[in-house]
Amino acid sequence: MHPAPSVIIFTMFSGLGFGLLAYLGLGLPPVAGWVAFGFFTLGYTLAVGGLLASVGHLANPKNAIKAFSQWRSSWLSREGVMAVASLLVMAVYAIALIFFDIRLRMVGLLGAVLCIGTVFTTSMIYTQLKTVPRWHDWTTPPVFLLHALGGGALLAGQVRMAGIFLAMLGFLMVWAWIKGDEKGLSGTTLESATGLGRIGKLRLLEPPHSGQNYLLKEMAYDVGRKHAFKLRIIALVLGYALPAALLLLLPVGHVLALVIVIAHVAGVAAGRWLFFAEAAHVQRLYYGK
Amino acid sequence: MTDLPKSTEKKLGLVIDLDTCVGCHACVVSCKEWNTSNYGTALSDVDAYGAEPQGTFLNRVHSFEAQPESGGCSQTVHFPKSCLHCEDAPCVTVCPTGASYKREEDGIVLVNEDDCMGCGLCAWSCPYGARELDQIFGVMKKCTLCVDRIYNENIPEEDRVPSCVRTCPAGARHFGDLGDPDSDVSRLVAEREGMDLMPEMGTKPVNKYLPPRLKDVPSDAALEPKYKDAAGLFGWLDKALEKF
């Protein structure tokens, strides 16, 4: 699949933002006043910035408002509804906490649940697609959730929790990569795609068109995969292993925390690029790919 | 709501005969011609007369070569591909805006372009690559089964079939109600063992493909030489030329 910057930024930063907001809703850290203002600003900037980036992926954004209508059938619509609900509930909690020094515990708890729910709906947009076997797997939702829980804890200064979640994520990510490689196209072949397997082995003789098209650009992406293994190592070390080790083994001050956050974001960016670039869509078979 | 209808009154669709298709791409061209000037926005082209032309098409013809494992002749199969109007169409349920829908009366899958926000998720969910996001208009385009022809009383009756079916010079494309077991198309599917594409995806496509008939093995197909020893005038000529 085409690793569009808009969807990489969207999934990465909205995940981090909603993760941070979830911790703040639970009173972790127990901030108030202007410090709380700073934390909530960061959380909202990441969450809303990510969502705005996703609008950049739309070819006809004037109809984006209609995406809230189909929550009964569509995961993308559910995500939109959940995102807005989380941001509104958390806004009530944040305003009470910052300006009135009142901690509305139940509202915060509800907001936290909605934030995590939003990340789950994001993951389901990808998990639901049978056409991309690498995504259509039980590992996809926990990978997204652990990114939000680990990255969110890191931003919220929850050192031990961040270390534990990121360590878990590292192991799960390696498992998901290996499993995704083994799955390939999950048994779908050019022979099953055309029904012509009854004659014999197939090859593409002539493609339907000599130039590019939307299908090739969007769903038959194969640029830069030769560095996939190196990028996996970068994602694993910078995104999960190094942060987890530093968080769990060293006393973490503000400077070290900043280094860990930068490493984590860089690693996750590499990993999220791979999430799209390595995902193979079955329709590419028709193009002999 | 982008739920799928529990059942549809008719299951209109295409039956494509891979034995007959000659790969001329006339269906591709006639589809583009009809659909660029009718339902919804035009099917745009980018750099149409330049070095890297590309554009939106609702129907494309791939050509494959099948090699029998036993050896023998390979078979070239031309393979037209467009929306299969699936009974369990994933492109409908993933749509967040309600733009993508399946009609209860005839099973045609359509996009209401006034609601489409161009997110492309329906194209991701389609295993067949049957949907293309128009690069200029930013809305999802797909085969409409020429919904603006098949019920159109302003055109002659023989034209009230999809444009690709009307134009196919080989008669490789058939249109009808696949929900009616007595329809011509259903009987054709039964006789010729019509098949689904990627049945493992669980989409239950309405369109069916008729497999190509198997080719002869070369040794069976070759003609025996008819005259071993020519007689009469040709026999005399043969001998005379031999000596000459």
Side-chain angles (χ1 to χ4, degrees):
Chain A
M1 307 296 285
H2 175 59
S6 55
V7 284
I8 295 174
I9 291 170
F10 154 58
T11 55
M12 249 178 80
F13 289 113
S14 73
L16 270 177
F18 283 113
L20 172 59
L21 289 175
Y23 284 100
L24 295 176
L26 297 174
L28 300 168
V31 284
W34 288 107
V35 181
F37 182 79
F39 271 105
F40 277 105
T41 305
L42 180 61
Y44 271 88
T45 306
L46 290 170
V48 176
L51 292 172
L52 287 178
S54 78
V55 177
H57 190 62
L58 305 180
N60 194 24
K62 73 172 165 33
N63 283 336
I65 192 79
K66 293 178 180 172
F68 297 109
S69 65
Q70 307 299 313
W71 50 270
R72 275 188 285 178
S73 50
S74 163
W75 281 107
L76 181 49
S77 185
R78 284 172 199 158
E79 191 219 24
V81 172
M82 287 291 277
V84 170
S86 332
L87 293 174
L88 290 177
V89 171
M90 286 307 290
V92 173
Y93 176 76
I95 289 168
L97 189 63
I98 296 165
F99 299 105
F100 304 99
D101 205 21
I102 302 168
R103 187 178 298 277
L104 302 169
R105 283 183 197 284
M106 290 315 287
V107 178
L109 181 64
L110 175 65
V113 170
L114 286 171
C115 284
I116 296 305
T118 306
V119 177
F120 175 70
T121 52
T122 306
S123 74
M124 285 308 291
I125 296 171
Y126 303 101
T127 310
Q128 68 177 337
L129 296 172
K130 273 189 201 166
T131 51
V132 184
R134 190 184 281 277
W135 292 348
H136 189 63
D137 195 83
W138 69 263
T139 50
T140 306
V143 161
F144 272 71
L145 289 170
L146 282 172
H147 271 96
L149 291 171
L154 184 57
L155 294 181
Q158 304 303 305
V159 175
R160 280 194 67 80
M161 240 188 287
I164 291 166
F165 281 134
L166 290 180
M168 284 165 66
L169 178 55
F171 285 109
L172 183 65
M173 202 65 240
V174 171
W175 172 243
W177 282 330
I178 294 171
K179 217 172 149 210
D181 291 347
E182 278 174 4
K183 267 179 117 176
L185 289 180
S186 270
T188 294
T189 58
L190 183 52
E191 285 73 24
S192 76
T194 56
L196 296 172
R198 61 180 79 188
I199 305 176
K201 194 80 190 143
L202 248 65
R203 73 177 184 96
L204 182 69
L205 184 65
E206 281 177 337
H209 45 97
S210 52
Q212 276 288 328
N213 75 346
Y214 169 75
L215 298 173
L216 285 171
K217 284 187 284 185
E218 186 76 3
M219 282 168 278
Y221 186 85
D222 47 18
V223 180
R225 290 223 210 129
K226 66 174 179 172
H227 296 305
F229 184 72
K230 285 178 198 163
L231 282 168
R232 281 184 184 179
I233 300 294
I234 291 172
L236 186 63
V237 172
L238 287 184
Y240 321 121
L242 186 70
L246 293 176
L247 288 165
L248 294 175
L249 300 177
L250 289 182
V252 180
H254 277 102
V255 179
L256 184 57
L258 185 67
V259 172
I260 293 172
V261 168
I262 291 169
H264 175 69
V265 170
V268 171
R272 205 43 65 81
W273 187 86
L274 282 175
F275 178 75
F276 290 99
E278 286 196 299
H281 192 288
V282 292
Q283 77 96 11
R284 65 191 284 133
L285 289 167
Y286 290 110
Y287 283 93
K289 292 188 171 219
Chain B
M1 205 34 88
T2 44
D3 288 328
L4 287 161
K6 289 207 169 55
S7 64
T8 56
E9 284 166 42
K10 285 183 177 181
K11 293 177 188 171
L12 294 187
L14 299 174
V15 172
I16 295 169
D17 190 343
L18 297 177
D19 197 55
T20 311
C21 177
V22 295
C24 70
H25 292 239
C27 54
V28 178
V29 177
S30 74
C31 166
K32 177 105 172 180
E33 183 273 332
W34 178 266
N35 286 294
T36 202
S37 45
N38 287 284
Y39 183 96
T41 64
L43 301 173
S44 71
D45 291 314
V46 179
D47 195 24
Y49 301 99
E52 289 176 356
Q54 51 175 295
T56 310
F57 286 79
L58 310 184
N59 178 32
R60 296 188 184 261
V61 180
H62 300 240
S63 296
F64 299 107
E65 187 178 68
Q67 181 66 56
E69 270 157 40
S70 58
C73 281
S74 65
Q75 253 179 278
T76 300
V77 183
H78 303 290
F79 189 90
K81 184 165 67 63
S82 54
C83 171
L84 306 173
H85 299 279
C86 302
E87 283 179 56
D88 208 345
C91 55
V92 170
T93 47
V94 299
C95 178
T97 65
S100 194
Y101 64 106
K102 185 171 174 71
R103 290 168 29 131
E104 212 163 333
E105 61 269 37
D106 52 19
I108 299 179
V109 176
L110 288 177
V111 174
N112 175 1
E113 294 174 7
D114 292 336
D115 286 346
C116 176
M117 65 175 187
C119 68
L121 191 57
C122 56
W124 286 12
S125 75
C126 172
Y128 309 108
R131 288 174 166 243
E132 299 188 16
L133 186 69
D134 192 276
Q135 301 298 285
I136 288 181
F137 298 104
V139 290
M140 196 52 74
K141 304 298 293 189
K142 68 175 293 303
C143 163
T144 66
L145 216 56
C146 283
V147 69
D148 43 9
R149 284 176 74 101
I150 58 177
Y151 300 114
N152 191 339
E153 292 182 1
N154 297 317
I155 57 176
E157 205 174 340
E158 64 267 30
D159 287 335
R160 291 178 206 160
V161 290
S163 184
C164 56
V165 174
R166 185 77 179 99
T167 209
C168 178
R173 304 178 72 96
H174 307 271
F175 165 71
D177 180 7
L178 286 142
D180 170 7
D182 295 324
S183 68
D184 288 349
V185 281
S186 295
R187 272 191 250 142
L188 198 53
V189 170
E191 272 168 33
R192 296 275 309 280
E193 294 174 50
M195 56 196 186
D196 288 345
L197 306 186
M198 291 191 201
E200 69 275 15
M201 285 284 153
T203 51
K204 292 196 259 169
V206 170
N207 284 13
K208 302 284 184 234
Y209 283 75
L210 306 181
R213 295 176 175 94
L214 293 180
K215 269 193 182 173
D216 299 322
V217 175
S219 57
D220 297 343
L223 292 172
E224 292 294 321
K226 206 164 182 186
Y227 299 106
K228 280 187 178 141
D229 290 305
L233 176 66
F234 285 108
W236 174 81
L237 249 175
D238 184 40
K239 278 175 201 156
L241 287 169
E242 202 77 40
K243 281 178 183 163
F244 180 66

